[in-house]
Amino acid sequence: MRPAAADVADLVRRVGAAPPRLGAVRLVVVDGPAGSGKTTLAGLLAAALDDAPVVHMDDLYEGWTGLGRDVWARLREQVLDPLARGHAARYQRFDWDQDRFDDWVDVPRHDVLVVEGVGAAAAPVDQLSSLRVWVEVDRDLRLDRGLARDGARMSAHWLSWSALEDAHFAEDGTRGRADVVIDGTLPASR
């Protein structure tokens, strides 16, 4: 699948045409390597979907080594399973500065939920997702973006995280299962 510009209006149409698979909620997952533009796209998409709530996988990882089965279990138990049953959802947010899980965050009720971050479209959530979006850019640009945001002192963490996500994406085949592949270097259009 060839990457395209992020046409938010097209994504909104796709979401509206897709059946809800998470109870009455349409789950949109925005995945791709760190620094590719997932958070930016998810924010634009959520705003265009009448301020749909966004859950950031960064809030669910247990730090720099948290990309593993525990993160999907946490997402499923705290957010997806309650929504599938028609209940309110909330999750315990990881505090990166304190290196521990801390406060609880309520997920506002809405007919769409956007989950963004590395691993958001992992195979365990496939059957619940109404739309799977993959965002990608060149590795060097991703690292530049990450270090611009987090500082050069985080370089070792970014490089080790990159290796973890490479292994995850290779095993999971995430890009190949995406409904839409977006070029994170192109501006989003409405």
Side-chain angles (χ1 to χ4, degrees):
M1 193 177 311
R2 188 169 181 217
D7 184 337
V8 174
D10 177 57
L11 295 177
V12 168
R13 282 189 295 276
R14 287 173 182 254
V15 172
R21 294 190 173 124
L22 185 62
V25 176
R26 287 175 175 84
L27 174 62
V28 178
V29 289
V30 181
D31 206 331
S36 60
K38 298 176 302 299
T39 303
T40 300
L41 178 61
L44 292 170
L45 182 56
L49 289 164
D50 298 322
D51 294 318
V54 178
V55 172
H56 303 280
M57 294 295 289
D58 284 355
D59 289 342
L60 298 172
Y61 307 131
E62 192 167 358
W64 286 100
T65 59
L67 184 60
R69 298 201 186 284
D70 289 349
V71 71
W72 295 292
R74 211 171 359 270
L75 175 64
R76 187 118 194 192
E77 291 166 9
Q78 295 178 7
V79 178
L80 304 180
D81 286 349
L83 290 176
R85 293 190 304 269
H87 298 142
R90 61 194 307 245
Y91 60 91
Q92 192 171 21
R93 185 187 64 79
F94 188 79
D95 184 323
W96 289 74
D97 294 327
Q98 299 297 316
D99 195 34
R100 63 180 168 87
F101 285 98
D102 195 6
D103 57 330
W104 286 84
V105 177
D106 293 324
V107 177
R109 289 188 182 261
H110 197 284
D111 62 341
V112 176
L113 172 66
V114 178
V115 177
E116 73 81 23
V118 175
V125 297
D126 265 0
Q127 73 276 13
L128 303 173
S129 302
S130 295
L131 183 68
R132 295 175 304 244
V133 180
W134 174 266
V135 183
E136 63 187 18
V137 300
D138 172 81
R139 181 179 296 276
D140 290 337
L141 177 56
R142 293 193 327 259
L143 182 60
D144 289 347
R145 287 176 173 179
L147 296 181
R149 182 188 71 195
D150 296 340
R153 63 182 171 69
M154 301 305 285
S155 179
H157 286 299
W158 267 83
L159 294 173
S160 66
W161 181 263
S162 182
L164 288 174
E165 67 185 15
D166 285 349
H168 161 70
F169 291 138
E171 179 182 330
D172 190 67
T174 315
R175 186 188 192 279
R177 293 190 334 278
D179 300 307
V180 181
V181 176
I182 301 293
D183 181 341
T185 64
L186 299 175
S189 57
R190 295 225 170 210

